[in-house]
Amino acid sequence: MQTFTYIFLAFLLASTLVQIYLSLRQKQHVSAHRSAVPAPFADKITLDEHQKAADYTLAKGGVGRIDLLIGLVVLLAWTLGGGLEWLDQQWRSFGWGDLYTGTAVIISLILIGSLLDMPLSLYRTFVLEERFGFNKMTPATFLMDLLKGAALSLLIGIPVVMLILWLMESAGSLWWLYAWAALTAFSLLMTWAYPKFIAPLFNKFSPLEEGEVADRLNALLTRTGFNSKGVFIMDGSRRSAHGNAYFTGFGKNKRIVFFDTLLKHLTPAQVEAVLAHELGHFKRKHIVKGMALSMIMTLTGFAVLAWLMGQTWFYTALGISQSSTYMALLLFVLVSPAFTFFIGPIMAWWSRKHEFEADEFAAQQSSGTELIAALVGLYKENASTLTPDPWYSAFYDSHPPAAIRIAHLQQQTD
């Protein structure tokens, strides 16, 4: 083993142990608070609903720990265990050039990974989600989604992979800059195209019907100066009982999407408050800031990869005997999460800050009281725990814990 092998193993072990520790803290904390509804929610959520959320959180945590350990074994098998070396040699035996060999190696690795993920994916959908009454997906729908997703991934993924590999091999010392520009342009194109061309392949989107909800939402959009392609209802109930709302697209192709499951449980005033929160993300430039941060991180990643690509030890320390551009890319994607794991709390904090700001906007433009009622309804319908472990939440949660978020909103309404 080389020095970098030990460094990689140290980071991988540390990140894995921290994840297990945080997961066990979450398990202990949620279990300890399962017997009583937190005081701020005592008159809004029943004990049975609170305990269902606790049990759902604990069940997901158990599956997550299994997934974590399987991922650890698979990663070590691909790298130090010789899996990537074997896969590379199989494709090299065809005598193709690096561009086609590299594309084949990357695509086959993704396909194998998807197959390895399949058992847990099936368990989550048809056992865990079914057990708590959330799954609405049939085996036929699951299979069709799988086939559509695979076809779309190949149709889009193969040209992108080939373009990046071609730039890595042919664009000189500044290839990383050109690759970043190409990937950024592609990401923006997909963000623009997703609502119109991709999302409808999986779900049905219907314009919001006229009525009180439409009148409230249109009035809100008008007074906040938000222009979009309209408000759409997505048939999320075909797959899950979970409810949500989101923005998609950008420029003149922006859309506002509500799950049909969400509208079933909220009053018109609450739906307006939820939309006001989503508009807060747009008005406070959170979407633009997120895209800018993603571009900066991608650029940094490509720059680091450009340096690592020329280091022989990077390959040999991770079980690869023959260096290549595509293997550098694969190794970087596989091992970088172990090294970047500990910036997770910073990203989570940044996201929670944005949620507070969006809540403040909603309280100003709509009603903080109605948003509180909507959030409580969402916590209840989605079986979201009201008592997450503080450390676990600080490390992972993109949204503030329920009690803290509600208290912050109440301050805005006083």
Side-chain angles (χ1 to χ4, degrees):
M1 289 190 181
Q2 301 180 19
T3 301
F4 186 71
T5 307
Y6 291 110
I7 294 174
F8 165 62
L9 289 174
F11 272 89
L12 183 61
L13 178 62
S15 62
T16 301
L17 290 177
V18 169
Q19 289 178 80
I20 292 174
Y21 172 70
L22 291 172
S23 179
L24 293 177
R25 279 188 62 99
Q26 173 82 332
K27 176 183 177 181
Q28 182 180 23
H29 195 273
V30 172
S31 298
H33 292 82
R34 183 182 180 276
S35 60
V37 181
F41 303 95
D43 59 341
K44 303 179 182 71
I45 292 178
T46 67
L47 180 60
D48 285 344
E49 291 167 340
H50 173 65
Q51 291 181 334
K52 175 185 176 180
D55 294 341
Y56 183 51
T57 300
L58 295 173
K60 289 193 298 180
V63 175
R65 288 189 293 275
I66 294 172
D67 195 16
L68 174 65
L69 294 176
I70 291 175
L72 174 66
V73 172
V74 170
L75 175 59
L76 290 174
W78 278 127
T79 53
L80 304 183
L84 277 180
E85 173 76 3
W86 175 85
L87 188 64
D88 189 25
Q89 294 303 320
Q90 301 309 304
W91 285 109
R92 283 183 181 274
S93 66
F94 288 95
W96 302 339
D98 274 4
L99 179 60
Y100 293 104
T101 299
T103 302
V105 169
I106 291 173
I107 297 301
S108 59
L109 178 69
I110 293 172
L111 292 176
I112 294 170
S114 298
L115 290 175
L116 293 175
D117 288 339
M118 188 63 63
L120 270 185
S121 179
L122 288 167
Y123 180 85
R124 285 191 176 98
T125 301
F126 294 107
V127 178
L128 193 153
E129 293 291 308
E130 188 79 31
R131 171 185 164 193
F132 290 93
F134 291 122
N135 178 50
K136 305 299 179 184
M137 186 179 292
T138 65
T141 303
F142 184 91
L143 179 60
M144 284 304 299
D145 282 354
L146 184 67
L147 295 176
K148 288 179 184 178
L152 196 61
S153 297
L154 292 174
L155 183 65
I156 296 174
I158 290 177
V160 173
V161 168
M162 293 188 74
L163 174 60
I164 298 300
L165 292 180
W166 178 78
L167 289 171
M168 292 176 71
E169 295 174 7
S170 308
S173 60
L174 292 179
W175 71 263
W176 55 276
L177 192 58
Y178 304 134
W180 169 79
L183 190 59
T184 298
F186 171 77
S187 298
L188 293 174
L189 176 62
M190 286 296 100
T191 302
W192 175 86
Y194 177 80
K196 189 171 183 179
F197 302 106
I198 299 176
L201 296 174
F202 297 90
N203 290 97
K204 181 181 178 182
F205 294 83
S206 305
L208 180 65
E209 296 179 356
E210 294 183 1
E212 183 182 357
V213 173
D215 292 342
R216 280 181 170 273
L217 299 191
N218 288 330
L220 175 63
L221 293 172
T222 299
R223 68 175 178 264
T224 56
F226 184 85
N227 297 315
S228 75
K229 285 293 184 180
V231 179
F232 291 82
I233 310 304
M234 189 186 87
D235 61 340
S237 57
R238 286 184 56 220
R239 292 173 174 81
S240 174
H242 291 297
N244 205 351
Y246 65 91
F247 276 123
T248 184
F250 74 95
K252 295 182 178 180
N253 208 29
K254 296 191 298 291
R255 281 189 180 187
I256 301 159
V257 178
F258 285 93
F259 285 35
D260 56 357
T261 46
L262 182 73
L263 297 184
K264 291 177 182 177
H265 303 296
L266 302 184
T267 66
Q270 292 169 2
V271 174
E272 177 191 331
V274 171
L275 176 57
H277 170 87
E278 297 300 331
L279 286 173
H281 286 303
F282 177 80
K283 289 295 184 178
R284 295 291 183 261
K285 310 294 184 184
H286 298 159
I287 298 171
V288 173
K289 291 175 182 177
M291 292 175 67
L293 179 62
S294 177
M295 292 177 188
I296 292 171
M297 294 179 68
T298 303
L299 179 62
T300 302
F302 271 125
V304 173
L305 173 58
W307 176 72
L308 288 173
M309 194 169 70
Q311 312 303 315
T312 303
W313 52 262
F314 180 59
Y315 305 91
T316 56
L318 295 172
I320 302 300
S321 61
Q322 192 170 349
S323 61
S324 62
T325 53
Y326 61 84
M327 197 54 69
L329 178 61
L330 262 183
L331 289 174
F332 182 77
V333 170
L334 286 175
V335 307
S336 59
F339 295 93
T340 59
F341 172 74
F342 291 98
I343 68 172
I346 300 174
M347 303 301 296
W349 167 84
W350 196 53
S351 177
R352 290 193 298 272
K353 179 176 180 292
H354 287 175
E355 293 301 323
F356 282 132
E357 292 174 359
D359 282 349
E360 292 167 5
F361 181 88
Q364 295 165 3
Q365 297 295 327
S366 180
S367 167
T369 301
E370 295 294 348
L371 182 56
I372 290 173
L375 288 173
V376 171
L378 286 170
Y379 295 144
K380 180 165 56 178
E381 295 303 327
N382 290 330
S384 301
T385 181
L386 304 176
T387 58
D389 174 70
W391 286 22
Y392 182 94
S393 181
F395 214 100
Y396 290 113
D397 287 350
S398 60
H399 289 61
I404 295 175
R405 187 174 184 183
I406 297 300
H408 181 263
L409 264 171
Q410 287 174 334
Q411 292 176 358
Q412 306 302 311
T413 58
D414 291 342

